[in-house]
Amino acid sequence: MTIGHAFVNGRIRPMSAKDIMLSAARAVSEHRPMQNQPGQREALVKVVRSLIAAENLCDREAAAELLSPHFAGIVRANGLSQSREELLDRISAPTDPAVRRRLDDNAIEVQEAPGWCVVHSIVITDGAAAGRFRNTHLLVQEEDVWRCLFWQVTELRTISRPFFVLLARHGQHSQHILTRSDPARDDSPHPSEIVGEVLREQLLWQPPLAEQPDDRITIAEALYAPSPEARTTMAILGNALGSVTAAITHPSSPGKVHRIAGDELDSFLAWEDPSLHASRGLAGHSQHALAARVREAAMNPAFPERNAVLIVGHQPQLSRLADAMARDPGCPGHRRWRRLRVPIAHGEVICLVFADRYGAWPFYRPPRVLWSVAPADNAVMTDLKEKIKSKLDTAKLLGTAITFILGAMLALLTDTNRWGALESAEQLLAQVAAGLLLASFVLYLATLYAYDRLTMPPRFWTELSPRQGPRLRRGRRLVSRPPSSAVWVLYQNMQRVWWGLFTPATVGFGLALALMAVILTPGNQASATYVALASLGGLGAAVVAVLCVWFRPVLGSDD
């Protein structure tokens, strides 16, 4: 396969990857291998930096010193191959001198061998040629001096792919010291330790033969707040996922950067981020800056196999960050008009998925909660069931009212005298109102059955075999169970029934009442009266809507 062209004796000759590597191998064989010295990696990276700086400064002489006399060539991102002299000419007289290049310090890999090495790096350009390019430099030692023997450039195109954000709230604490599951026993585990074990199993036991590689969650890096409770929680989760420097667990430790490495899970770095401090509030510029950093780390094209970021912090910063990322234009599947509400308990880990694998732009699923791992909380389960019973009673009350009004409407439809007294337009409105009342009544009955089903003890919940094709599965936007707790399942299903069944029934009931009010207006009135009544009704509805929105309960989270 031809990947470039070489200029030989004034003619263009195709040059394959095999030709280039054979040329590089012959050049390497002409040099005497030498033993690598300590601190050599910095010297190798410095050669690459100097080459990039020579390009920015259009310095031909500096570039000539860094290129080997036996330079095999450079393969550009467009597939064009250039010799040493052609490269130097291009450096001294670039097509666009305004283009500036810089290295991504977090994406430099060095593969060393006696006498030669390969440096992989990411170069970011700005201006008209803005983009990200993977640069591969083959360096050899020539009289104790490292020079470039071969250079290849590959453009990294931005590909929208799913990525995940793991939001972990610090564990319950007393005076910045995490409390244990049983405060009376010093040997009882912390709730975060149990959550860490479940999280480790979830990351390990992902489907080995997933439908797409992006299904697997691999942590790229971790961020944690500069507080004692957040550091301790990060250390507990790090110990569960692998091994972590013990300095994070100390309340007074600054804990800047730590490596979490395990035998079964890929290692990653844990960073202390000042913007996650509890006193900052994570509002304004810091919120958007942190969202951009998380997005870049999870979608780094240099490491496509890593697609997740773990964040350990406080409330309400974590919930605000989730909502900010859900409406961030840089995140695939974002919805500016849709708010993402994510309640997070102490010690809980929430997994958010952005740009789900099903669908194509602009039909991505909006960001959502994929699963949750949380400590057991029986009190919350009890309170949630009481809330469901309260909604069940409300549905019963409104169902009784709609039954009475539906009966009155049916009496009107079956009374020949009253029906004949109505005009044709009023008869049509009466039929529409009756249809709305009947549909609302059916939806209220469905609401009663749904809320009654939610009162079933979790012990008797069952699963059926899924249908073929992910698009056909009901409840695909709900949290996955396992590992999510029954509290999250009840919470999301309660909201789902409320917005999917109860709210449409209430809206239909209100529209039916409005139509009945129009029918009951005397028919011999002038049309101007109808207009006036409709205007007053619309104004009243607008005032009621504003009052309902403005004075609705405003809740928040404690930390």
Side-chain angles (χ1 to χ4, degrees):
M1 179 182 65
T2 301
I3 64 172
H5 299 82
F7 291 87
V8 181
N9 297 329
R11 297 183 178 180
I12 300 178
R13 179 179 65 85
M15 194 172 185
S16 65
K18 181 178 179 181
D19 297 333
I20 294 177
M21 296 312 298
L22 288 177
S23 176
R26 286 194 297 269
V28 171
S29 65
E30 297 177 4
H31 301 279
R32 178 173 55 89
M34 302 182 67
Q35 186 64 32
N36 294 339
Q37 301 298 326
Q40 186 169 262
R41 185 182 187 279
E42 290 74 11
L44 299 173
V45 176
K46 184 179 179 180
V47 173
V48 177
R49 292 185 185 277
S50 300
L51 273 173
I52 301 301
E55 281 192 295
N56 289 332
L57 298 175
C58 304
D59 193 341
R60 178 188 178 97
E61 288 73 16
E65 290 293 329
L66 298 171
L67 297 179
S68 171
H70 307 279
F71 184 70
I74 178 175
V75 179
R76 295 285 185 179
N78 58 4
L80 180 65
S81 178
Q82 295 177 336
S83 63
R84 187 177 189 274
E85 291 301 320
E86 292 165 345
L87 174 59
L88 294 176
D89 293 341
R90 178 71 173 273
I91 292 176
S92 60
T95 305
D96 187 358
V99 175
R100 287 294 177 265
R101 307 160 183 84
R102 61 181 178 88
L103 280 180
D104 186 352
D105 295 333
N106 298 323
I108 300 178
E109 299 180 7
V110 179
Q111 299 175 351
E112 303 180 44
W116 63 278
C117 72
V118 177
V119 180
H120 301 281
S121 61
I122 301 297
V123 176
I124 304 174
T125 60
D126 55 12
R132 297 173 62 87
F133 301 86
R134 178 182 291 276
N135 283 243
T136 302
H137 294 85
L138 175 62
L139 307 181
V140 294
Q141 271 185 324
E142 297 176 346
E143 299 178 356
D144 295 339
V145 178
W146 286 100
R147 292 189 174 90
C148 181
L149 182 64
F150 175 68
W151 190 350
Q152 184 173 9
V153 182
T154 305
E155 183 178 4
L156 299 176
R157 299 184 181 274
T158 302
I159 301 176
S160 180
R161 58 186 177 87
F163 71 92
F164 307 87
V165 177
L166 305 180
L167 300 178
R169 188 178 180 183
H170 64 80
Q172 191 76 38
H173 66 92
S174 175
Q175 297 181 350
H176 303 294
I177 299 177
L178 297 190
T179 57
R180 297 184 178 274
S181 301
D182 186 359
R185 296 178 52 188
D186 295 336
D187 58 345
S188 63
H190 295 284
S192 297
E193 292 179 336
I194 302 175
V195 170
E197 290 297 326
V198 178
L199 178 61
R200 176 177 175 274
E201 293 180 359
Q202 176 67 16
L203 297 180
L204 281 176
W205 293 358
Q206 298 179 66
L209 298 177
E211 296 182 8
Q212 293 190 11
D214 291 336
D215 291 350
R216 299 188 62 85
I217 301 175
T218 305
I219 299 177
E221 65 177 60
L223 306 175
Y224 59 94
S227 62
E229 56 270 20
R231 296 191 190 108
T232 307
T233 304
M234 181 71 251
I236 292 175
L237 295 179
N239 289 327
L241 299 177
S243 60
V244 66
T245 307
I248 296 183
T249 61
H250 198 278
S252 61
S253 169
K256 295 300 181 184
V257 181
H258 304 273
R259 176 171 292 277
I260 299 176
D263 297 334
E264 298 173 303
L265 292 173
D266 294 335
S267 61
F268 57 91
L269 294 179
W271 306 77
E272 181 177 289
D273 195 323
S275 62
L276 289 172
H277 197 280
S279 62
R280 294 290 180 88
L282 195 64
H285 177 72
S286 62
Q287 173 178 294
H288 298 291
L290 181 60
R293 177 181 176 183
V294 172
R295 182 182 69 249
E296 291 177 0
M299 299 182 65
N300 191 350
F303 304 100
E305 70 282 356
R306 296 179 177 269
N307 55 5
V309 176
L310 172 64
I311 304 176
V312 181
H314 302 260
Q315 282 285 72
Q317 288 91 331
L318 295 179
S319 294
R320 291 176 178 174
L321 177 62
D323 182 56
M325 295 193 65
R327 297 185 294 122
D328 186 359
C331 293
H334 74 281
R335 299 291 190 272
R336 287 184 177 272
W337 49 268
R338 179 165 180 165
R339 311 302 295 265
L340 180 61
R341 295 174 173 84
V342 183
I344 308 177
H346 283 287
E348 184 177 11
V349 178
I350 297 287
C351 178
L352 304 179
V353 57
F354 295 82
D356 210 338
R357 65 179 183 271
Y358 306 125
W361 186 90
F363 304 104
Y364 284 130
R365 291 185 191 171
R368 63 187 179 91
V369 178
L370 184 60
W371 45 259
S372 165
V373 179
D377 196 340
N378 296 328
V380 174
M381 175 67 76
T382 302
D383 295 341
L384 191 59
K385 288 187 175 182
E386 290 296 329
K387 178 65 175 177
I388 293 175
K389 292 180 180 179
S390 175
K391 289 180 177 291
L392 185 61
D393 295 337
T394 303
K396 291 179 181 179
L397 180 62
L398 293 179
T400 302
I402 199 174
T403 302
F404 174 77
I405 298 177
L406 180 60
M409 180 59 67
L410 292 178
L412 173 63
L413 296 177
T414 56
D415 191 336
T416 307
N417 295 329
R418 293 181 180 180
W419 182 256
L422 297 177
E423 298 180 358
S424 59
E426 293 176 337
Q427 292 179 355
L428 177 61
L429 293 179
Q431 292 173 345
V432 173
L436 289 174
L437 288 174
L438 182 59
S440 299
F441 178 72
V442 174
L443 289 177
Y444 276 130
L445 289 180
T447 302
L448 293 177
Y449 277 99
Y451 279 138
D452 181 74
R453 187 175 183 182
L454 291 181
T455 60
M456 177 72 68
R459 161 66 178 80
F460 300 101
W461 293 358
T462 59
E463 288 282 353
L464 300 178
S465 59
R467 297 180 180 180
Q468 296 295 327
R471 294 180 181 272
L472 300 177
R473 186 173 63 87
R474 291 187 303 113
R476 60 182 181 272
R477 294 189 179 184
L478 303 179
V479 293
S480 301
R481 177 172 171 87
S484 303
S485 63
V487 172
W488 259 99
V489 175
L490 286 177
Y491 168 73
Q492 285 194 331
N493 277 281
M494 180 185 68
Q495 296 289 331
R496 185 167 179 249
V497 172
W498 181 264
W499 293 108
L501 297 178
F502 184 84
T503 300
T506 305
V507 171
F509 179 51
L511 292 177
L513 291 180
L515 294 179
M516 292 177 63
V518 174
I519 297 173
L520 294 177
T521 303
N524 56 1
Q525 297 286 338
S527 59
T529 304
Y530 285 100
V531 174
L533 291 176
S535 301
L536 290 176
L539 179 61
V543 172
V544 171
V546 171
L547 293 177
C548 293
V549 172
W550 185 258
F551 291 101
R552 72 186 187 278
V554 179
L555 307 177
S557 59
D558 64 331
D559 198 63

